[in-house]
Amino acid sequence: MGSTDRAALRAAANQPPPLVGHNVVAADLALSEAVVRHGSESVLDSLLPLGAEAGSAEAREQGRLANEHPPELTTYDRYGHRIDEVEFHPSWHWLMERAVGHGLAATPWERQADGDADAHLRRAAGFMAWSHTEPGHGCPISMTYAAVPALRVDEALAKEWTPLLASTTYDPGLRPVSEKRGALCGMGMTEKQGGSDVRANVTEARPAADGTYTLHGHKWFTSAPMNDVFLVLAQSSGRPGSPAPTCFVVPRVLPDGTRNQLDVVRLKDKLGNRSNASSELEFDGTVALRLGDEGRGVRTIIEMVAATRLDCVLGSAGLMRRAVSEASWHVAHRSAFGSLLADKPLMQNVVADLAVESEAATVLALRLASAVDDLDDPHEAALRRIALPLAKFWVCKRTPALTAEALECLGGNGYVEESLMPLLYREAPLNSVWEGSGNVNALDVLRALGREPEALDAWITEVGLARGADARLDAAIDATLALLGELMGDPAGLEVGARRLAGRMAAVFQGSLLVRYSPPEVADVFCASRLGSTYDGTFGALAGGDLRGIVARTTPQLT
């Protein structure tokens, strides 16, 4: 074989160019339009540097390396001292430094207090866009963001920790809080025997003479054990009567520089989220400070749960968008059977369907984020109460199916680790499990409907803003209200119908937002499919029509 033949054999013909050098924010029209709609052009402009960095070749490579080299636990040092340290690859620190630096941790709480009316919207859009780099490191970022509203129940603790959690300086390493320029927060809620049922927890908090407590027990799933502080639930024996869950602040390092008694038993070997360390912890005399009233731990952390649920929706929407970007980019540059894949009617149908699903998730996620900027409005607060579990249930449930279909658009290339599609596929189920599984969130919807009538009123008001614009949406609203009435009139069957109701309410909310704000062709496809009685969830089964505009809208453009 001659050198010319060998060169031709080795040439990579008909392969898409790498998807690098695009601005993740600017290329996502659903995201950028929502930012301007709920915020302003200046908010969008402030996110463009983040978007450019997230779409860079360097960010893609750092994300790949962080997953290829998972964290490692060292329980003892060379001298036999117990240290319980987790070592991360340099790429993890690269990602964390930029996520914190872009203000994606607790920064918006202080910016909001300083008068930034769009602080949480800005952060939400940035969190979605930055998750394109690598989703695992978003976990400590999210927990740090979510900790602040819980800390605010104690003015002294909030004053001590919030400025560090809100810092844009990433300062890793175990040191006393007084020596830190920035800090990260984690949470320890679930235990072996309880899972989501935190009232079954057995970890005990014993009051000490100096006003602190000591914790004795375990936590089954605590991510980011190298964080500086944790919010932990424990049964407080200091409460008169029977013990009840109480929230505690647990610093990793005590003020005098000694390490708190917190044993990292092992790191979890997880399906995905491999760059992030998730651990099992044991407490035996661990120093803790009570946060909130005795026996009111669940109520104390409820706002933290709301914030992390929002990040589950944002993260899943970001994952959807990344998967659709990879799929649409591939088919725009790959030929088969004489023409580009993007010109094949059936592939257009698949990619357009994926794009509509992604846009529906994005508009819903950012609508909820905008509500955090305006919680003094009773409607916004009530809407957030019902729509967060709805969105958490629905968007997170839709993500695995979308990611699998997007992977298939790349064919065998998508099944290879180098494409990074397997990373997205493994990550896809996570947010449906974290912060309450599908059942937990569907039941929380029922709880809100039963205890807080203003929540249902807020949903009816919100979806009603699109009344009259699309007959299919109107019919879906009426059918959903009828289903609600049917279930509420049948207490025995109410729980069984919780998932069906949550899915319908979420899809109708998405339809209302798309009808009001998205291009007509996007709203039309959504209403014709998702709100129709014959929809079976199969991607690429749209009725037809010219879908090229939707495909073009979702295909990234290099800058």
Side-chain angles (χ1 to χ4, degrees), residues 460-505:
I460 292 172
T461 298
E462 190 74 17
V463 301
L465 295 174
R467 280 276 194 184
D470 189 291
R472 297 161 298 189
L473 174 61
D474 291 349
I477 295 173
D478 293 338
T480 303
L481 290 173
L483 173 62
L484 175 61
E486 174 189 330
L487 292 175
M488 288 299 188
D490 178 21
L494 182 59
E495 182 172 321
V496 175
R499 280 181 170 233
R500 185 159 56 108
L501 178 64
R504 284 286 79 193
M505 291 182 73

Side-chain angles (χ1 to χ4, degrees), residues 71-73 86 222 225 264-269 277-280:
E72 296 181 356
L73 170 65
V86 179
T222 300
V264 182
V265 179
R266 63 172 175 168
L267 301 184
K268 299 286 194 180
D269 186 8
S278 299
S279 66
E280 297 170 22

Side-chain angles (χ1 to χ4, degrees), residues 265-316:
V265 179
R266 63 172 175 168
L267 301 184
K268 299 286 194 180
D269 186 8
K270 298 170 292 184
L271 167 68
N273 204 245
R274 301 189 69 83
S275 69
N276 177 41
S278 299
S279 66
E280 297 170 22
L281 302 182
E282 286 186 354
F283 305 130
D284 185 14
T286 308
V287 176
L289 296 90
R290 195 185 78 220
L291 180 65
D293 295 332
E294 296 266 7
R296 306 284 283 179
V298 174
R299 181 173 292 276
T300 300
I301 65 166
I302 199 68
E303 282 301 313
M304 185 177 193
V305 171
T308 47
R309 281 183 176 176
L310 174 60
D311 273 9
C312 287
V313 179
L314 295 169
S316 289

Side-chain angles (χ1 to χ4, degrees), residues 161 228-230 249-255 260 262 286-289:
W161 284 103
D228 301 283
V229 64
F230 299 87
V249 172
V250 178
R252 191 72 159 78
V253 179
L254 300 175
N260 208 351
L262 188 155
T286 308
V287 176
L289 296 90

